[in-house]
C-alpha cells in the first residue's frame, strides 16, 4: 500500500439520487442538499472505534467535512458512502 492508502484507508463513494439525472441539473431541485450522513459497514466502524449517530470527520486530499455516522449492511469492507 502507498502512503495515501495508509493515510486514507477507506474508499469514498456517493449514492446517486433518483431525483436527478445529471449533477449539472442538481441545483434546480430543492432535494439537492445532502443528508449530512456518511455510512460505513459495521466492521469498519468497530475497527475505527466509531458509534452510529456520532459526528465523524471525512477527510481526503481534497478536504474535510464532518458528517453523522450511519451503519450499513450494504457496503463492502473499506468503503464509506456519503448519502
Amino acid at each position: 500500500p502507498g502512503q495515501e492508502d495508509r493515510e486514507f484507508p477507506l474508499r469514498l463513494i456517493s449514492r446517486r439520487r433518483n431525483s436527478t439525472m445529471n449533477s449539472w441539473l442538481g441545483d434546480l431541485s430543492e432535494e439537492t442538499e445532502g443528508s449530512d450522513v456518511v455510512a460505513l459497514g459495521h466492521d469498519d466502524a468497530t475497527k475505527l472505534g466509531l458509534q452510529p449517530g456520532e459526528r465523524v470527520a471525512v477527510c481526503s486530499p481534497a478536504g474535510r467535512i464532518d458528517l453523522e455516522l450511519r451503519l450499513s449492511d450494504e457496503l463492502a469492507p473499506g468503503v464509506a458512502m456519503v448519502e
Side-chain angles (χ1 to χ4, degrees):
Q3 173 64 30
E4 191 167 294
D5 291 339
R6 288 188 294 272
E7 190 173 354
F8 304 107
L10 301 174
R11 297 290 175 238
L12 183 62
I13 63 171
S14 62
R15 174 176 273 173
R16 181 182 178 281
R17 293 178 178 267
N18 291 331
S19 62
T20 59
M21 186 169 70
N22 292 305
S23 62
W24 65 277
L25 295 174
D27 62 346
L28 299 177
S29 168
E30 290 183 15
E31 297 179 31
T32 59
E33 291 188 33
S35 62
D36 206 25
V37 171
V38 62
L40 276 181
H42 294 270
D43 290 343
D44 285 327
T46 299
K47 188 184 324 181
L48 295 168
L50 302 174
Q51 298 294 318
E54 72 178 292
R55 299 222 32 109
V56 298
V58 177
C59 303
S60 77
R64 171 192 165 135
I65 187 169
D66 294 325
L67 300 170
E68 180 182 331
L69 178 64
R70 181 177 298 154
L71 299 183
S72 172
D73 294 326
E74 300 174 354
L75 295 173
V79 174
M81 179 177 66
V82 175
E83 297 184 30

